[in-house]
Amino acid sequence: MPRPDRSRAALIDHATTLFRRQGYAATGLNQILEGARVKPGSLYHHFPQGKQQLAAAVVDAEGSGIEQLLRRFLATGRPAADIVDRWIDLLIAGLAGDQRDGCPIEPIATESVNASPLVREASARAFQGWCAAVEDRLRADDWPAADAKRAALSVISLIEGALILSRIAGDPGALHAAKSAARTLLRG
């Protein structure tokens, strides 16, 4: 008899927070299992490859969730620069709530380059999806294809880099600076 999806969801939900706040290597399976209140058998039932498969599922879920949200906001007709400003404001608010919070993908993605090809591939898909969302909007705003692609990659890189700097410094200054830089990039 299949196990209920609630154990899979609990594993992903709890692992998401732990990976975002601690990273991949610092998060242990026992810590995930305790927090999710799930037995090891459930973990391996849902994720036969263990921690790396769970981490890839976290990245896929969070990455696609952010992409869908970003696409929804970008489809409102408001200027893309205003949407990016709002996104950065949300990141600033998240850091104000808990300095350990930030991008749900970056801590896992950075470590996955050496730790897990499965997680690295999921991370690459997530970041590519975010870039594609911005690029699609810029293309809809009549940007030339190459310029839209380059600007979208620049905006995502700018935000992710600023988020890392802000987390490390314990100060949102880099994210505030990223807002004006993103506006400049999005002027075309």
Side-chain angles (χ1 to χ4, degrees), residues 46-161:
H46 294 293
F47 305 102
Q49 295 174 11
K51 182 178 173 181
Q52 71 173 313
Q53 189 177 13
L54 172 59
V58 165
V59 170
D60 282 333
E62 290 296 302
S64 67
I66 291 169
E67 180 183 351
Q68 290 170 10
L69 190 62
L70 188 54
R71 285 185 182 281
R72 192 174 87 221
F73 289 141
L74 288 167
T76 63
R78 293 186 59 181
D82 290 352
I83 302 304
V84 170
D85 275 357
R86 296 273 317 253
W87 185 10
I88 294 171
D89 287 340
L90 289 171
L91 294 171
I92 291 168
L95 288 178
D98 191 323
Q99 278 299 115
R100 298 172 299 166
D101 285 337
C103 176
I105 308 296
E106 181 278 321
I108 305 169
T110 302
E111 292 180 56
S112 73
V113 172
N114 297 317
S116 169
L118 187 66
V119 180
R120 184 189 54 73
E121 291 165 9
S123 300
R125 278 192 306 275
F127 289 130
Q128 193 284 325
W130 302 353
C131 289
V134 175
E135 179 184 351
D136 290 349
R137 168 56 192 271
L138 297 178
R139 295 283 310 271
D141 289 343
D142 296 324
W143 282 51
D147 292 345
K149 186 175 191 72
R150 191 172 23 261
L153 179 59
S154 296
V155 166
I156 299 303
S157 299
L158 177 66
I159 292 169
E160 287 299 310

Side-chain angles (χ1 to χ4, degrees), residues 15-28 31-32 51 100 105-109 111 167:
T16 295
T17 301
L18 292 172
F19 287 140
R20 181 182 67 238
R21 291 181 174 179
Q22 299 175 179
Y24 181 81
T27 300
Q31 189 180 21
I32 295 168
K51 182 178 173 181
R100 298 172 299 166
I105 308 296
E106 181 278 321
I108 305 169
E111 292 180 56
R167 283 183 73 199

